[in-house]
Amino acid sequence: MIGLTIKMIGALLIISGGAMTGMKIKRYYIKRREMLKKMQDALRYADDAISIENALLDEVLISCGEKFFGGSREEDVFGRAAAYLKEEFGSFERAWDRACAELEEKCVYLKKADIECISGIGKALGHSDTDRQSAYVASAVKKLAALEEQASEAESREGRNAVKIALAVSAAVIIILF
């Protein structure tokens, strides 16, 4: 009787662990898509603020971070770049590269192509010629939109199945153990 109870509790723990693992994988797919969307919106906002309102770059970066990332230390590459801009004595590209390196460490759900595209934004926002900057930003937004589309497809295709696969693996483990 006690052995059966222990087996049932163990089976429930294995199933719940599998479900939680599947949900975490699914959340990574969702977070990736959302992050790519936020980056597009933040870039459009930054480009408009710099070219139309003639706002200072560090103020725009801080504003983007607060508006689109809510001060999330994990995802806010704009806020980090603004902080590093002061340390790098105005070299935006170096400040952006440092912020992107931290982003790559903290946002494990982003793929290498996502990080490369986001890193390329440093070249876009670092230009003093606003027409050239706008062209670079438009190109970066287009690339991010394509990556977001891929992320959306992966989310619907693979994210939905992550929970099912994790539960199936859990069930197989239970069968093997019992």
Side-chain angles (χ1 to χ4, degrees), residues 153-170:
E153 290 171 6
E155 177 188 338
S156 65
R157 187 179 58 246
E158 298 164 16
R160 177 182 40 185
N161 294 329
V163 177
K164 293 176 186 176
I165 291 169
L167 287 173
V169 168
S170 298

Side-chain angles (χ1 to χ4, degrees), residues 90-134:
S91 172
F92 178 72
E93 225 173 307
R94 281 192 305 224
W96 188 261
D97 287 342
R98 283 180 65 190
C100 286
E102 278 188 36
L103 180 71
E104 187 173 12
E105 287 175 17
K106 296 183 184 215
C107 295
V108 294
Y109 48 86
L110 291 175
K111 294 190 175 192
K112 185 105 175 124
D114 303 336
I115 296 295
E116 288 173 1
C117 185
I118 292 169
S119 294
I121 294 168
K123 294 177 182 76
L125 291 177
H127 278 282
S128 57
D129 180 11
T130 55
D131 291 336
R132 215 169 185 193
Q133 172 188 300
S134 293

